[in-house]
Amino acid sequence: MASPVDISLTINGEPVDERVPARLSLVDFLRARMDLTGSHVGCEHGVCGACTVRLDGAIVRGCLTLAVQADGAVVETIEGVSDTGEIADLQEAFIRHAALQCGFCTPAMLLTAAELIANRPNADREEIRAFISGNYCRCTGYQAIVDAVEDVLASRQEGAGT
Amino acid sequence: MKAPDFSYLRAESVDQALDLLARHGDDARLLAGGQSLMATLNLRLSAPSVLVDLNHIPDLAGITETETAVRIGAMTRHVAVERSPVVARHLPLIAAAMPHVAHAAIRNRGTLGGSLALADPAAEMPACALALQAVLEIAGPGGRRRVAAADFFHGLFETDLAPDEILVAIEYPKAPAGARWGFRELARRHGDYAMVGLAAMVEGDPICGAGRLAYFAVEDRPVLAHAPASKLVGEVIDDTAITAAEDALDADLDPHGDLHADAATKRHLARVLTRRVLGDLRTV
């Protein structure tokens, strides 16, 4: 067995020190060690996007990043981002539009949509679709998700303008 | 699935990474952005005993500009290239192609050098490197060497890199005045690898002085199609020139079928893309 590695990082604002096997993915670390099970494990090869988390402020695939690579980094998961209220309006919009059914893709979809909203406040439906194309939803057909994101973009624009 | 067991070694400098490669030989793999490597580990398609992490070598990342070229460190992440004003101004082909590379979450982590060193035949950046006549700077035990993109891609996931070498930077000549570019790919879903793609650069307006058409996802490596490009030289890009280029395509392309499309379909799609991209570049 290869030797484990000591890591220190910040998860949802809390400092964490752990010893992990090198091969442990970030999402498995968050779920199994930190009990943060809002990040989901789907395909484990970077296709479905269900494992999306934030690493130093940007969304990444939790299955394509090693826990040891998060050493020294700031990690945010859906639990942390929900608690801060940063995406409360987005979560409300998902509920209002029924933009989820089984909910498996939802935490990752929210984090992805939040990055779009932060970086491209003027995105149109086509850009929304392109941006979330890395996140599979097998229930909704995406229409309601795009509606919800579009709604939040519009209401934040309105809020910014007043 | 989960990745097999391996040791993780963090290199703090290029020299240290070279030492680690020399010490561990074939058992070691370089970890750049990890967006392809981690997938192959999780699928157990690859089982190195050591990963050498390049993410903590500061001088491997960054975009710098000289009078005639733009130099991009191999560990520069796709997102940094995508957002770079220097790239937008001097390498508009790269700026246009980058949004087609996978998805936002993957571009946040994936690196330009990783994409070139992996040499996936369906990837965008290798084809752009060919179209732009990039030069790749490689560090090895004997020092540094430079290789033209046209000599770098040897085949399916095979490059000019020796097992003890590291790609450190990619240098792109700035687009000359009057140069124009075109980029399109056909994929079933935005962000997927292309079924067929084309990165094109033409110089001279309205008379074309030189043109480079780099096709990807067609053969086992990106291909510069010389015959169709030669049909453009000395011509205005109009319907006649576009048709001549399209008709010359078969001389250069020998498509390999894959999961997404058979060889005949790829041949057809390459013609379709040729017409569309040259249509974008038409001068009359």
Side-chain angles (χ1 to χ4, degrees), chain B residues 9-202:
Chain B
L9 301 172
R10 180 182 288 180
E12 310 277 349
S13 68
V14 173
D15 285 344
Q16 193 191 354
L18 288 170
D19 283 346
L20 290 170
L21 274 187
R23 195 176 323 150
H24 295 283
D26 284 348
D27 294 333
R29 288 294 301 273
L30 295 172
L31 173 59
Q35 300 304 285
S36 298
L37 176 59
M38 285 304 304
T40 66
L41 294 178
N42 290 351
L43 291 167
R44 304 279 174 124
L45 296 172
S46 160
S49 57
V50 176
L51 288 195
V52 177
D53 190 354
L54 302 177
N55 286 273
H56 296 267
I57 305 177
D59 49 349
L60 275 187
I63 301 170
T64 52
E65 190 184 346
T66 66
E67 204 167 306
T68 55
V70 176
R71 179 188 159 93
I72 305 182
M75 285 297 295
T76 308
R77 299 194 196 279
H78 292 314
V79 65
V81 176
E82 188 178 1
R83 292 180 184 168
S84 161
V86 172
V87 171
R89 184 178 321 138
H90 297 295
L91 307 173
L93 175 65
I94 301 263
M98 201 48 102
H100 294 271
V101 177
H103 310 286
I106 289 175
R107 292 196 298 276
N108 281 342
R109 196 81 197 142
T111 65
L112 180 66
S115 177
L116 294 172
L118 179 68
D120 189 305
E124 292 84 358
M125 287 303 121
C128 290
L130 281 183
L132 295 175
Q133 296 184 308
V135 174
L136 291 88
E137 188 179 321
I138 294 167
R144 301 222 169 175
R145 66 189 180 97
R146 292 162 63 83
V147 179
D151 299 321
F152 182 76
F153 301 103
H154 290 188
L156 189 66
F157 302 112
E158 281 179 19
T159 69
D160 205 51
L161 283 167
D164 56 357
E165 290 183 315
I166 299 172
L167 176 61
V168 291
I170 304 95
E171 201 173 281
Y172 298 90
K174 285 181 180 174
R180 289 168 311 121
W181 54 270
F183 183 92
R184 284 177 184 258
E185 68 175 48
L186 296 165
R188 289 194 192 276
R189 182 180 66 141
H190 181 91
D192 281 357
Y193 278 115
M195 296 160 74
V196 174
L198 170 57
M201 196 75 199
V202 295

Side-chain angles (χ1 to χ4, degrees), chain A residues 1-2 22-23 28 44-46 55 58-59 61 63-64 66 68-69 71 115 119-120 130-131 133-134 136, chain B residues 1-8 10 31 35 38-39 42 44 53 55 83 103-106 108-109 189-190:
Chain A
M1 284 287 287
R23 73 188 191 103
D28 281 340
E44 298 192 297
H45 62 282
L55 182 69
I59 54 167
R61 296 280 203 247
C63 74
L64 298 184
L66 295 169
V68 295
Q69 293 187 284
D71 181 34
E115 183 153 310
N119 292 336
R120 302 186 196 187
F131 202 86
S133 65
Y136 278 5
Chain B
M1 290 198 297
K2 312 296 180 190
D5 196 29
F6 51 77
S7 296
Y8 169 85
R10 180 182 288 180
L31 173 59
Q35 300 304 285
M38 285 304 304
N42 290 351
R44 304 279 174 124
D53 190 354
N55 286 273
R83 292 180 184 168
H103 310 286
I106 289 175
N108 281 342
R109 196 81 197 142
R189 182 180 66 141
H190 181 91

